[in-house]
Amino acid sequence: MSDPADGATSSSDRSLAASLRLIVGDAHVVDRPDDLDRAARTTASEGRTPRIIVRPHDRDQVQAIMRLAAVHRIPVYPISGGRNWGYGDACPPTAGQILIDLSRMDRIVSVDATLAYAVIEPGVTQRQLHEHLVAHRLQLWMDCTGAGPDASVLGNIMDRGFGHSRYGDRAAHVCAMEFVLADGEVLETGSPSSNVSARGRHVFAHGLGPDIAG
Ligand SMILES: Cc1cc2nc3c(=O)[nH]c(=O)nc-3n(C[C@H](O)[C@H](O)[C@H](O)COP(=O)(O)OP(=O)(O)OC[C@H]3O[C@@H](n4cnc5c(N)ncnc54)[C@H](O)[C@@H]3O)c2cc1C
């Protein structure tokens, strides 16, 4: 645990840091000024320093963080890889936000080689998905962007990015997303996972549930 004298400066910042440490553990809350300044480095003209950085491990922790942020009325900024060089890097849009770094949530939940889809957590990188396909000798190809290997797949989806195959339009092909909302509730897009007949939910975006396009 960092020494409070070196980290969060005000009592409200220290209280926030203590609450976040209870959620994710000491090692996954960053509040030392040097580390926060590093997160503000950018190729843009001006970087914005986050109030604190928190690295959750699972959805429950993300929900708890969102509830806490709502109580304190502090804006949050999620990153999945934080390698968005030239497009804002890992900088929140304004200073003083809680930077939620989702890179620890890096599980490849499943890959369906027949229907050609992967169920992944936000921190899964281009490199990781490629290596998984190779290691399991799956006859599938990771449609990478020109970004670095440690950029996340999800970050590119949220950027409405593109790969280089006929399925490269991320926003058009992403299905069955799970969002943690500002109040900590979870929203599933497409057909709800509770609907046992929704067997196509990972390949058909427009089920009974909501759509990220509105
Ligand atoms: C050299 C270079 C080449 C590139 N080539 C291409 C290319 O060919 N095609 C292309 O499409 N893009 C390209 N890009 C951009 C690239 O898509 C992004 O830089 C990269 O995919 C972002 O991944 P990341 O993990 O760094 O995202 P992050 O920095 O983690 O996030 C990117 C954005 O998505 C938001 N976000 C991330 N995770 C979440 C989440 N879980 N929930 C809600 N919002 C979230 C962030 O707030 C941020 O605004 C290139 C970038 C570089 C530097």
Side-chain angles (χ1 to χ4, degrees):
M1 182 172 174
S2 62
D3 180 349
D6 295 335
T9 47
S10 71
S11 63
S12 64
D13 281 356
R14 282 197 290 277
S15 153
L16 175 68
S19 301
L20 289 171
R21 286 192 167 97
L22 285 177
I23 296 170
V24 298
D26 290 352
H28 305 296
V29 174
V30 176
D31 61 354
R32 292 174 59 94
D34 285 356
D35 297 327
L36 298 178
D37 286 346
R38 197 169 301 121
R41 286 184 195 159
T42 176
T43 52
S45 53
E46 188 189 339
R48 274 86 46 182
T49 308
R51 179 181 299 234
I52 200 162
I53 303 170
V54 58
R55 300 197 171 107
H57 176 258
D58 57 33
R59 191 185 75 182
D60 289 352
Q61 292 186 355
V62 176
Q63 289 181 272
I65 293 165
M66 293 305 289
R67 290 192 190 105
L68 185 70
V71 167
H72 288 269
R73 300 187 64 77
I74 302 172
V76 303
Y77 185 70
I79 55 168
S80 291
R83 303 295 202 283
N84 212 8
W85 302 314
Y87 301 98
D89 303 75
C91 289
T94 58
Q97 302 199 3
I98 299 174
L99 184 64
I100 305 180
D101 177 351
L102 298 161
S103 58
R104 288 178 67 219
M105 295 176 62
D106 64 351
R107 283 164 287 220
I108 296 173
V109 178
S110 63
V111 176
D112 187 311
T114 307
L115 294 179
Y117 68 82
V119 181
I120 58 171
E121 290 190 338
V124 171
T125 64
Q126 301 200 108
R127 182 203 309 270
Q128 199 185 335
L129 188 52
H130 164 74
E131 288 179 349
H132 181 94
L133 298 179
V134 171
H136 291 82
R137 298 176 181 276
L138 298 172
Q139 297 298 304
L140 295 171
W141 175 54
M142 167 62 203
D143 186 1
C144 293
T145 69
D150 296 321
S152 68
V153 177
L154 201 278
N156 187 242
I157 291 170
M158 298 314 290
D159 270 350
R160 282 187 176 269
F162 56 90
H164 299 94
S165 75
R166 69 166 67 173
Y167 302 110
D169 180 346
R170 306 284 192 237
H173 292 103
V174 67
C175 297
M177 294 188 80
E178 204 176 73
F179 290 94
V180 178
L181 302 178
D183 62 0
E185 291 297 307
V186 172
L187 173 78
E188 291 182 345
T189 67
S191 299
S193 55
S194 55
N195 182 348
V196 288
S197 65
R199 294 167 62 189
R201 66 188 297 265
H202 291 295
V203 287
F204 179 65
H206 312 292
L208 294 173
D211 187 325
I212 53 168

